[in-house]
PDB file of all heavy atoms in Angstrom:
ATOM      1  N   ALA A  98      12.301   7.183  12.204  1.00 91.00           N
ATOM      2  CA  ALA A  98      13.717   7.553  12.180  1.00 91.00           C
ATOM      3  C   ALA A  98      14.108   8.276  13.474  1.00 91.00           C
ATOM      4  O   ALA A  98      15.172   8.032  14.049  1.00 91.00           O
ATOM      5  CB  ALA A  98      14.009   8.431  10.985  1.00 91.00           C
ATOM      6  N   ARG A  99      13.230   9.129  13.954  1.00 91.00           N
ATOM      7  CA  ARG A  99      13.517   9.872  15.202  1.00 91.00           C
ATOM      8  C   ARG A  99      13.498   8.904  16.397  1.00 91.00           C
ATOM      9  O   ARG A  99      14.331   8.989  17.316  1.00 91.00           O
ATOM     10  CB  ARG A  99      12.477  10.957  15.432  1.00 91.00           C
ATOM     11  CG  ARG A  99      12.691  12.180  14.556  1.00 91.00           C
ATOM     12  CD  ARG A  99      11.621  13.242  14.791  1.00 91.00           C
ATOM     13  NE  ARG A  99      12.016  14.528  14.254  1.00 91.00           N
ATOM     14  CZ  ARG A  99      11.242  15.613  14.326  1.00 91.00           C
ATOM     15  NH1 ARG A  99      10.054  15.559  14.903  1.00 91.00           N
ATOM     16  NH2 ARG A  99      11.674  16.757  13.820  1.00 91.00           N
ATOM     17  N   PHE A 100      12.554   7.953  16.399  1.00 90.00           N
ATOM     18  CA  PHE A 100      12.468   6.990  17.490  1.00 90.00           C
ATOM     19  C   PHE A 100      13.762   6.209  17.633  1.00 90.00           C
ATOM     20  O   PHE A 100      14.317   6.079  18.730  1.00 90.00           O
ATOM     21  CB  PHE A 100      11.277   6.027  17.230  1.00 90.00           C
ATOM     22  CG  PHE A 100      11.143   4.928  18.242  1.00 90.00           C
ATOM     23  CD1 PHE A 100      10.509   5.153  19.455  1.00 90.00           C
ATOM     24  CD2 PHE A 100      11.697   3.672  18.018  1.00 90.00           C
ATOM     25  CE1 PHE A 100      10.385   4.138  20.396  1.00 90.00           C
ATOM     26  CE2 PHE A 100      11.572   2.666  18.953  1.00 90.00           C
ATOM     27  CZ  PHE A 100      10.912   2.891  20.132  1.00 90.00           C
ATOM     28  N   TYR A 101      14.248   5.654  16.538  1.00 88.00           N
ATOM     29  CA  TYR A 101      15.455   4.828  16.600  1.00 88.00           C
ATOM     30  C   TYR A 101      16.721   5.673  16.690  1.00 88.00           C
ATOM     31  O   TYR A 101      17.806   5.107  16.934  1.00 88.00           O
ATOM     32  CB  TYR A 101      15.525   3.905  15.389  1.00 88.00           C
ATOM     33  CG  TYR A 101      14.581   2.733  15.505  1.00 88.00           C
ATOM     34  CD1 TYR A 101      13.452   2.641  14.731  1.00 88.00           C
ATOM     35  CD2 TYR A 101      14.832   1.711  16.431  1.00 88.00           C
ATOM     36  CE1 TYR A 101      12.561   1.568  14.872  1.00 88.00           C
ATOM     37  CE2 TYR A 101      13.977   0.645  16.561  1.00 88.00           C
ATOM     38  CZ  TYR A 101      12.843   0.582  15.776  1.00 88.00           C
ATOM     39  OH  TYR A 101      11.977  -0.501  15.915  1.00 88.00           O
ATOM     40  N   SER A 102      16.612   6.970  16.543  1.00 88.00           N
ATOM     41  CA  SER A 102      17.743   7.885  16.782  1.00 88.00           C
ATOM     42  C   SER A 102      17.748   8.393  18.209  1.00 88.00           C
ATOM     43  O   SER A 102      18.610   9.176  18.598  1.00 88.00           O
ATOM     44  CB  SER A 102      17.719   9.057  15.807  1.00 88.00           C
ATOM     45  OG  SER A 102      17.844   8.601  14.475  1.00 88.00           O
ATOM     46  N   GLY A 103      16.760   7.979  19.022  1.00 88.00           N
ATOM     47  CA  GLY A 103      16.685   8.349  20.417  1.00 88.00           C
ATOM     48  C   GLY A 103      15.865   9.573  20.718  1.00 88.00           C
ATOM     49  O   GLY A 103      15.825  10.000  21.883  1.00 88.00           O
ATOM     50  N   ASN A 104      15.245  10.179  19.723  1.00 92.00           N
ATOM     51  CA  ASN A 104      14.446  11.370  19.963  1.00 92.00           C
ATOM     52  C   ASN A 104      12.984  10.935  20.145  1.00 92.00           C
ATOM     53  O   ASN A 104      12.179  11.009  19.239  1.00 92.00           O
ATOM     54  CB  ASN A 104      14.588  12.318  18.752  1.00 92.00           C
ATOM     55  CG  ASN A 104      13.829  13.644  18.975  1.00 92.00           C
ATOM     56  OD1 ASN A 104      13.207  13.853  19.986  1.00 92.00           O
ATOM     57  ND2 ASN A 104      13.867  14.484  17.957  1.00 92.00           N
ATOM     58  N   LEU A 105      12.604  10.540  21.385  1.00 91.00           N
ATOM     59  CA  LEU A 105      11.262  10.041  21.639  1.00 91.00           C
ATOM     60  C   LEU A 105      10.211  11.153  21.574  1.00 91.00           C
ATOM     61  O   LEU A 105       9.108  10.931  21.111  1.00 91.00           O
ATOM     62  CB  LEU A 105      11.215   9.363  23.007  1.00 91.00           C
ATOM     63  CG  LEU A 105      12.069   8.109  23.199  1.00 91.00           C
ATOM     64  CD1 LEU A 105      11.768   7.437  24.534  1.00 91.00           C
ATOM     65  CD2 LEU A 105      11.865   7.123  22.080  1.00 91.00           C
ATOM     66  N   ASP A 106      10.605  12.349  22.024  1.00 93.00           N
ATOM     67  CA  ASP A 106       9.647  13.454  21.980  1.00 93.00           C
ATOM     68  C   ASP A 106       9.315  13.793  20.528  1.00 93.00           C
ATOM     69  O   ASP A 106       8.167  14.033  20.197  1.00 93.00           O
ATOM     70  CB  ASP A 106      10.194  14.672  22.713  1.00 93.00           C
ATOM     71  CG  ASP A 106      10.277  14.443  24.216  1.00 93.00           C
ATOM     72  OD1 ASP A 106       9.521  13.623  24.736  1.00 93.00           O
ATOM     73  OD2 ASP A 106      11.108  15.128  24.863  1.00 93.00           O
ATOM     74  N   GLY A 107      10.337  13.864  19.688  1.00 93.00           N
ATOM     75  CA  GLY A 107      10.119  14.176  18.290  1.00 93.00           C
ATOM     76  C   GLY A 107       9.329  13.068  17.610  1.00 93.00           C
ATOM     77  O   GLY A 107       8.447  13.335  16.769  1.00 93.00           O
ATOM     78  N   ALA A 108       9.577  11.811  17.980  1.00 91.00           N
ATOM     79  CA  ALA A 108       8.827  10.704  17.391  1.00 91.00           C
ATOM     80  C   ALA A 108       7.381  10.753  17.823  1.00 91.00           C
ATOM     81  O   ALA A 108       6.460  10.483  16.998  1.00 91.00           O
ATOM     82  CB  ALA A 108       9.459   9.382  17.852  1.00 91.00           C
ATOM     83  N   MET A 109       7.095  11.096  19.072  1.00 94.00           N
ATOM     84  CA  MET A 109       5.726  11.226  19.526  1.00 94.00           C
ATOM     85  C   MET A 109       5.002  12.333  18.779  1.00 94.00           C
ATOM     86  O   MET A 109       3.848  12.152  18.353  1.00 94.00           O
ATOM     87  CB  MET A 109       5.713  11.509  21.046  1.00 94.00           C
ATOM     88  CG  MET A 109       4.314  11.717  21.612  1.00 94.00           C
ATOM     89  SD  MET A 109       3.256  10.205  21.496  1.00 94.00           S
ATOM     90  CE  MET A 109       3.927   9.257  22.885  1.00 94.00           C
ATOM     91  N   PHE A 110       5.649  13.460  18.583  1.00 94.00           N
ATOM     92  CA  PHE A 110       5.060  14.565  17.841  1.00 94.00           C
ATOM     93  C   PHE A 110       4.681  14.129  16.422  1.00 94.00           C
ATOM     94  O   PHE A 110       3.561  14.389  15.957  1.00 94.00           O
ATOM     95  CB  PHE A 110       6.006  15.752  17.782  1.00 94.00           C
ATOM     96  CG  PHE A 110       5.564  16.897  16.906  1.00 94.00           C
ATOM     97  CD1 PHE A 110       4.640  17.814  17.378  1.00 94.00           C
ATOM     98  CD2 PHE A 110       5.999  16.999  15.610  1.00 94.00           C
ATOM     99  CE1 PHE A 110       4.186  18.859  16.566  1.00 94.00           C
ATOM    100  CE2 PHE A 110       5.590  18.038  14.788  1.00 94.00           C
ATOM    101  CZ  PHE A 110       4.669  18.959  15.267  1.00 94.00           C
ATOM    102  N   ASP A 111       5.606  13.456  15.745  1.00 92.00           N
ATOM    103  CA  ASP A 111       5.327  13.031  14.371  1.00 92.00           C
ATOM    104  C   ASP A 111       4.184  12.020  14.297  1.00 92.00           C
ATOM    105  O   ASP A 111       3.356  12.083  13.391  1.00 92.00           O
ATOM    106  CB  ASP A 111       6.605  12.438  13.760  1.00 92.00           C
ATOM    107  CG  ASP A 111       7.611  13.485  13.323  1.00 92.00           C
ATOM    108  OD1 ASP A 111       7.206  14.676  13.270  1.00 92.00           O
ATOM    109  OD2 ASP A 111       8.740  13.138  13.046  1.00 92.00           O
ATOM    110  N   SER A 112       4.141  11.093  15.253  1.00 92.00           N
ATOM    111  CA  SER A 112       3.067  10.094  15.231  1.00 92.00           C
ATOM    112  C   SER A 112       1.720  10.731  15.475  1.00 92.00           C
ATOM    113  O   SER A 112       0.727  10.428  14.790  1.00 92.00           O
ATOM    114  CB  SER A 112       3.343   9.031  16.322  1.00 92.00           C
ATOM    115  OG  SER A 112       4.512   8.322  16.049  1.00 92.00           O
ATOM    116  N   GLU A 113       1.666  11.684  16.397  1.00 93.00           N
ATOM    117  CA  GLU A 113       0.384  12.354  16.664  1.00 93.00           C
ATOM    118  C   GLU A 113      -0.059  13.238  15.512  1.00 93.00           C
ATOM    119  O   GLU A 113      -1.231  13.293  15.173  1.00 93.00           O
ATOM    120  CB  GLU A 113       0.499  13.167  17.945  1.00 93.00           C
ATOM    121  CG  GLU A 113       0.621  12.270  19.193  1.00 93.00           C
ATOM    122  CD  GLU A 113       0.743  13.083  20.478  1.00 93.00           C
ATOM    123  OE1 GLU A 113       1.077  14.284  20.397  1.00 93.00           O
ATOM    124  OE2 GLU A 113       0.481  12.492  21.576  1.00 93.00           O
ATOM    125  N   GLN A 114       0.922  13.882  14.819  1.00 94.00           N
ATOM    126  CA  GLN A 114       0.578  14.683  13.656  1.00 94.00           C
ATOM    127  C   GLN A 114       0.062  13.794  12.527  1.00 94.00           C
ATOM    128  O   GLN A 114      -0.894  14.151  11.826  1.00 94.00           O
ATOM    129  CB  GLN A 114       1.780  15.476  13.187  1.00 94.00           C
ATOM    130  CG  GLN A 114       2.150  16.651  14.075  1.00 94.00           C
ATOM    131  CD  GLN A 114       1.045  17.690  14.081  1.00 94.00           C
ATOM    132  OE1 GLN A 114       0.274  17.834  15.017  1.00 94.00           O
ATOM    133  NE2 GLN A 114       0.980  18.457  12.973  1.00 94.00           N
ATOM    134  N   ALA A 115       0.696  12.612  12.343  1.00 93.00           N
ATOM    135  CA  ALA A 115       0.258  11.700  11.298  1.00 93.00           C
ATOM    136  C   ALA A 115      -1.165  11.218  11.590  1.00 93.00           C
ATOM    137  O   ALA A 115      -2.016  11.111  10.662  1.00 93.00           O
ATOM    138  CB  ALA A 115       1.202  10.505  11.214  1.00 93.00           C
ATOM    139  N   ILE A 116      -1.461  10.887  12.840  1.00 93.00           N
ATOM    140  CA  ILE A 116      -2.824  10.463  13.196  1.00 93.00           C
ATOM    141  C   ILE A 116      -3.816  11.581  12.995  1.00 93.00           C
ATOM    142  O   ILE A 116      -4.960  11.352  12.539  1.00 93.00           O
ATOM    143  CB  ILE A 116      -2.824   9.947  14.662  1.00 93.00           C
ATOM    144  CG1 ILE A 116      -2.013   8.656  14.772  1.00 93.00           C
ATOM    145  CG2 ILE A 116      -4.252   9.757  15.155  1.00 93.00           C
ATOM    146  CD1 ILE A 116      -1.743   8.206  16.189  1.00 93.00           C
TER     147      ILE A 116
END
Side-chain angles (χ1 to χ4, degrees):
R99 284 179 165 180
F100 176 83
Y101 283 108
S102 298
N104 183 1
L105 297 187
D106 291 335
M109 178 65 79
F110 173 82
D111 283 346
S112 297
E113 291 181 341
Q114 287 295 105
I116 292 170

